[in-house]
């Protein structure tokens, strides 16, 4: 469980986060919405222990984040960045194996237990067939699944993802989000930042909206996902409309084809 209470952070005289509070635990899928520069990445760095808040607190399982060493923290939280290109074209198996380092001693080498963790993660994500492929030679969607598998091999139950679907095509976005949703159903806690309000509504159990470094709204998608909030958050006029039973945000004046529209 992560509990953030009245968190503040500043770069010099520039306030980035102001009195941010929320809690999340196993079985939660929390999506953090907000425009660029609103403080989402800074919030993640504070949760990961990379930045020290100006004030407020972050508790992991009832204990202050600052009391954990980096290795101890890695046993609870896995950070999954946007898909990237490493300098060396490691195999998929080796990329996932890197996630097991927090479970070993400083001078230990991966053994049978670590390899079993890799096998489990690859199978859990349905990417066993990529095991011997070079990470740099697979698709963007496959790379994102590999990074999630690395987090699972890390044995962390909290997955923190920075825009996991950025630069992915439509099909891969759905595959990644469905994978995360399945992990949540298995008891993982998923915290992601995203620029896609519709995606947050479809897959999240809770949405946290940040504006100007403050919490604009936090709650279940049905409560938070409104025309007023999305318009205020992104500075555009939109209307949240039901389309075939699903709510989507569309610009005011845009035409949505419904079941009663005439066919061309």
């Amino acid at each position: 469980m992560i509990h953030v209470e009245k968190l503040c952070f500043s770069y010099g005289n520039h306030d980035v986060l102001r009195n941010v509070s929320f809690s999340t635990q196993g079985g939660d899928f929390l999506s953090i919405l907000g425009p660029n520069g609103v403080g989402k990445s800074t919030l993640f760095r504070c949760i990961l222990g990379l930045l020290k808040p100006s004030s407020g607190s972050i508790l992991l399982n009832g204990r202050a984040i600052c009391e954990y060493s980096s290795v101890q923290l890695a046993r609870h939280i896995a950070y999954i960045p946007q898909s990237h290109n490493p300098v060396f074209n490691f195999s998929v198996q080796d990329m996932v194996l890197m996630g097991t380092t927090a479970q070993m001693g400083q001078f230990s080498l991966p053994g049978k237990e670590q390899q079993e963790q890799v096998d489990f993660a690859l199978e859990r994500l349905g990417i066993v067939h990529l095991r011997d492929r070079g990470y740099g030679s697979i698709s963007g969607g496959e790379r994102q699944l590999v990074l999630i598998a690395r987090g699972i091999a890390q044995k962390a139950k909290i997955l923190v993802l920075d825009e996991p679907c950025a630069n992915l095509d439509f099909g891969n976005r759905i595959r990644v989000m469905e994978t995360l949703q399945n992990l949540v159903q298995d008891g993982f806690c998923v915290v992601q930042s995203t620029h896609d309000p519709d995606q947050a509504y479809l897959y999240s159990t809770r949405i946290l909206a940040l504006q100007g470094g403050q919490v604009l709204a936090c709650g279940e998608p049905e409560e938070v996902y409104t025309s007023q909030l999305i318009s205020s958050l992104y500075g555009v006029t939109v209307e949240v409309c039901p389309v075939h039973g699903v709510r989507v945000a569309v610009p005011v004046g845009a035409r949505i084809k419904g079941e009663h529209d005439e066919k061309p």
Side-chain angles (χ1 to χ4, degrees):
M1 178 178 180
I2 295 177
H3 179 71
V4 178
E5 182 70 23
K6 296 182 179 179
L7 182 71
C8 297
F9 183 87
S10 301
Y11 288 107
N13 295 323
H14 175 56
D15 293 333
V16 180
L17 298 173
R18 292 182 287 174
N19 294 318
V20 173
S21 298
F22 67 92
S23 294
T24 188
Q25 59 187 356
D28 284 346
F29 192 145
L30 176 66
S31 288
I32 301 177
L33 283 176
N36 290 330
V38 78
K40 299 187 298 295
S41 296
T42 299
L43 175 59
F44 279 179
R45 293 189 184 104
C46 289
I47 291 174
L48 295 168
L50 301 176
L51 292 177
K52 183 178 179 180
S54 306
S55 62
S57 63
I58 304 174
L59 303 181
L60 172 62
N61 297 329
R63 180 182 170 192
I65 284 286
C66 61
E67 296 179 5
Y68 288 83
S69 68
S70 58
V71 172
Q72 290 173 331
L73 203 57
R75 292 171 181 166
H76 296 278
I77 303 176
Y79 174 65
I80 299 167
Q82 295 179 26
S83 184
H84 66 290
N85 293 306
V87 176
F88 300 102
N89 190 25
F90 295 104
S91 70
V92 165
Q93 175 169 279
D94 286 342
M95 284 293 294
V96 177
L97 189 61
M98 292 176 190
T100 66
T101 55
Q103 311 300 326
M104 300 183 295
Q106 185 174 3
F107 301 105
S108 300
L109 294 175
K112 181 180 179 180
E113 180 181 352
Q114 285 70 43
Q115 187 56 59
E116 289 176 348
Q117 291 172 221
V118 172
D119 294 341
F120 172 79
L122 292 175
E123 186 172 349
R124 181 70 180 77
L125 273 295
I127 53 175
V128 174
H129 62 288
L130 299 176
R131 179 192 299 275
D132 298 320
R133 295 274 302 276
Y135 177 80
S137 61
I138 59 179
S139 72
E142 290 169 335
R143 290 181 194 176
Q144 200 63 43
L145 292 176
V146 170
L147 295 178
I148 296 171
R150 186 174 67 180
I152 293 175
Q154 190 173 320
K155 283 189 173 181
K157 297 297 287 185
I158 301 171
L159 306 180
V160 176
L161 304 100
D162 183 12
E163 297 181 35
C165 294
N167 303 317
L168 297 186
D169 63 35
F170 182 72
N172 279 321
R173 288 201 300 269
I174 292 176
R175 293 184 188 97
V176 168
M177 295 309 296
E178 288 182 344
T179 295
L180 294 174
Q181 195 173 51
N182 289 336
L183 290 172
V184 168
Q185 292 171 356
D186 288 343
F188 282 79
C189 173
V190 170
V191 181
Q192 70 151 353
S193 63
T194 178
H195 285 297
D196 189 339
D198 294 335
Q199 180 199 85
Y201 170 75
L202 286 171
Y203 294 99
S204 306
T205 60
R206 295 172 63 230
I207 294 175
L208 174 72
L210 284 178
Q211 185 178 57
Q214 301 182 86
V215 176
L216 182 61
C218 184
E220 296 182 359
E222 289 75 13
E223 301 171 349
V224 173
Y225 190 64
T226 65
S227 303
Q228 181 179 359
L229 181 131
I230 301 303
S231 297
S232 175
L233 201 60
Y234 293 101
V236 293
T237 304
V238 302
E239 184 176 356
V240 174
C241 308
V243 179
H244 300 299
V246 178
R247 295 162 68 182
V248 295
V250 296
V252 170
R255 178 175 177 272
I256 300 178
K257 184 171 179 59
E259 56 183 8
H260 300 298
D261 289 348
E262 295 183 2
K263 295 182 179 180

